Amino acid sequence: MAAPIGHYLALAAVLFFIGVLGVIVRRNPLIMLMSIELMFNAANLLFIAFARLWLHNAGQIFAFLVITVAAAEAAIGLAIVVATFRPEKYVDVDEVSALHG
């Protein structure tokens, strides 16, 4: 028995807004990266739910592309965070001045 599409929409909305809240409220770059990943996963949930509803594979292909972009974003983002905050004892994205040029 499949869950109705409304349940997927509600879960994706909750996940997405938790991600948005994490990006807006938290100042730790690792928490911000995880929040962005949460937003990507909310979008993936909707892609898969609508692909299942409409019996079309395009949503699954988009979800695969989003997973690929999320993996690249995580690798590059973590490299930037580690390179930027290595000498620092505390991390806060408001205090970063190394990337201003």
Side-chain angles (χ1 to χ4, degrees), residues 49-69:
F50 282 113
R52 185 174 178 190
L53 177 70
W54 294 331
L55 300 176
H56 200 273
N57 291 335
Q60 290 154 344
I61 293 169
F62 278 123
F64 181 73
L65 290 175
V66 169
I67 290 170
T68 305
V69 169

Side-chain angles (χ1 to χ4, degrees), residues 38-58:
L38 199 58
M39 289 189 281
F40 281 148
N41 286 327
N44 281 339
L45 179 64
L46 286 182
F47 282 138
I48 299 298
F50 282 113
R52 185 174 178 190
L53 177 70
W54 294 331
L55 300 176
H56 200 273
N57 291 335

Side-chain angles (χ1 to χ4, degrees), residues 30-41:
L30 296 177
I31 300 294
M32 293 173 77
L33 283 175
M34 287 191 300
S35 297
I36 292 170
E37 295 289 329
L38 199 58
M39 289 189 281
F40 281 148
N41 286 327

